[in-house]
Amino acid sequence: MSSEGRPVRLQDVADHAGVSLATASRMLSDSDYKGRAALRDKVIASAAELGYRPNLHARALASSTSTSVGLVVHDVRDAYFAMIAGGVIKAAEAHRLLVTMVCTYRDPRQELNYVSLLSTQRPRAIILAGSSFIDRAHTAAMTAQLSAYQADGGAVVSVTRGRRIGHLVEVGNVEATRRLAHLLADLGHTSFGVISGPARLIAVRDRMRGFRLGLQDRGIELAADAIVHADMSRDGGARAARRLLDRPDRPTCLWGVADVVAVGAMAWARSNGLRIPEDVSVAGFGGTPLASDAVPALTTVELPLERIGRTALDLALLPLDEPRHTVEIGGTVLMRDSTAPVVKGS
């Protein structure tokens, strides 16, 4: 028992040994582990000193599952999800696990259907890399499905908030877009157009909230007609750009909630004779290769997408008796050539 009178957890062992939770888990569960013998001895000694006892029932359930991991993404054609998936797959290979990936295309019914199908295959874990939905009925159905799967010995990990079951990789959507708005406003922009995504996605709402807050911090209010909701695709971004830029009072700066829509907006602007950033600045979110390869290079919030994927897999492999863990991962604003100070008279 711990000093608080509760059973000793693996987290207590990791803290005592001065290692990460994932490291402690691997060194105590993998009897064939050959590397860093001194560190492994330290972890084993901490476990013995604290009186740590693994949950054998949970381990038995886990060992009865397959050596596969289910990965649910919105759209693997989007580099954002492709890079997260790459991180999951790379980490899974190190543990000799096979990843089964499915795409929901942002359809909540398809998400529920795939989670149900994956559960019947008894993967070791299900990782939900796409944003959760603002839909009470869907949330209740997903919670029931995932709870049953978890009770049978499966691990659940979500990327971005919204689900109350399993571990969480919390992406700093609000904080990052708030900083981006600050920097764009500091370039002198006061007139913005925003290409948003489906309002029912929590990640979209979080990014929108952060951007609004950032503009408000600079005394700027985002008008309702300055926001266009679009498909999270290049074509969706182009269509939204037409609606925002093909008007007499066009904004001096466009922001897309994802790099893919921002790149679509840039393509429409150029094909219609607008110069970037001289006539209109454009920014995105995600930090995908699309952003760096764009001409001019796209200002964006860069997320460590592959690390997000690796972290999700690490959480999925924690012992099943571990409490819910939340790992926060933030983004970095990269100011590039697609944005510039407002030209006087614009």
Side-chain angles (χ1 to χ4, degrees):
M1 300 289 285
S2 69
S3 57
E4 292 84 6
R6 56 169 172 76
V8 176
R9 304 171 303 169
L10 182 59
Q11 182 67 65
D12 300 318
V13 176
D15 292 342
H16 188 273
V19 300
S20 69
L21 191 62
T23 296
S25 174
R26 183 177 183 185
M27 291 185 174
L28 288 176
S29 62
D30 186 356
S31 59
D32 295 325
Y33 183 71
K34 305 299 183 185
R36 307 184 70 179
L39 188 56
R40 184 168 187 264
D41 289 344
K42 185 177 181 181
V43 172
I44 292 173
S46 291
E49 181 177 338
L50 297 175
Y52 172 70
R53 295 291 183 271
N55 186 324
L56 297 180
H57 175 62
R59 284 197 176 181
L61 286 173
S63 65
S64 69
T65 63
S66 70
T67 56
S68 68
V69 171
L71 174 61
V72 183
V73 303
H74 282 323
D75 189 348
V76 75
R77 296 171 301 181
D78 184 339
Y80 178 93
F81 292 108
M83 293 178 71
I84 291 176
V88 171
I89 292 169
K90 190 68 175 177
E93 288 176 351
H95 296 275
R96 298 181 180 179
L97 295 172
L98 177 68
V99 176
T100 300
M101 181 168 60
V102 294
C103 298
T104 69
Y105 300 108
R106 301 181 178 86
D107 181 344
R109 293 169 299 179
Q110 192 69 287
E111 179 182 67
L112 182 61
N113 180 51
Y114 277 137
V115 168
S116 177
L117 289 173
L118 285 171
S119 297
T120 64
Q121 297 179 12
R122 295 186 58 81
R124 182 166 176 175
I126 293 177
I127 297 173
L128 300 154
S131 169
S132 54
F133 296 88
I134 302 171
D135 181 325
R136 289 185 178 180
H138 174 70
T139 299
M142 280 287 288
T143 300
Q145 182 67 56
L146 292 171
S147 296
Y149 165 73
Q150 193 175 59
D152 283 341
V156 177
V157 180
S158 294
V159 175
T160 73
R161 70 181 186 88
R163 303 181 184 93
R164 297 182 179 179
I165 185 169
H167 304 300
L168 172 65
V169 181
E170 177 68 271
V171 178
N173 287 310
V174 176
E175 298 80 3
T177 53
R178 191 172 190 169
R179 290 195 301 271
L180 175 64
H182 289 166
L183 293 173
L184 295 176
D186 292 346
L187 291 175
H189 294 286
T190 58
S191 175
F192 289 85
V194 173
I195 304 174
S196 184
R200 64 184 177 179
L201 293 177
I202 285 183
V204 168
R205 289 205 178 184
D206 284 349
R207 294 174 195 176
M208 287 294 301
R209 176 170 171 262
F211 199 75
R212 283 182 183 276
L213 288 172
L215 293 184
Q216 290 171 358
D217 292 339
R218 296 297 192 263
I220 302 169
E221 290 293 335
L222 192 62
D225 64 356
I227 303 169
V228 173
H229 292 275
D231 294 334
M232 302 279 275
S233 66
R234 186 185 178 99
D235 288 344
R239 288 191 293 268
R242 179 181 60 81
R243 292 178 58 187
L244 289 167
L245 297 177
D246 194 15
R247 57 173 65 168
D249 58 340
R250 68 170 182 254
T252 62
C253 183
L254 286 187
W255 173 60
V257 295
D259 287 344
V260 65
V261 298
V263 168
M266 290 175 67
W268 187 92
R270 284 196 306 269
S271 67
N272 285 272
L274 295 177
R275 299 167 301 165
I276 302 169
E278 292 86 354
D279 298 323
V280 60
S281 289
V282 183
F285 185 97
T288 64
L290 273 177
S292 56
D293 293 344
V295 180
L298 179 67
T299 289
T300 189
V301 172
E302 183 179 58
L303 296 174
L305 297 170
E306 292 187 0
R307 179 158 70 89
I308 288 172
R310 293 195 303 270
T311 301
L313 194 282
D314 286 343
L315 290 174
L317 299 184
L318 291 176
L320 295 178
D321 55 344
E322 281 299 302
R324 176 181 171 94
H325 287 270
T326 297
V327 177
E328 298 180 358
I329 297 181
T332 302
V333 178
L334 298 180
M335 300 297 288
R336 292 179 172 140
D337 292 341
S338 67
T339 52
V342 176
V343 177
K344 290 184 178 180
S346 297

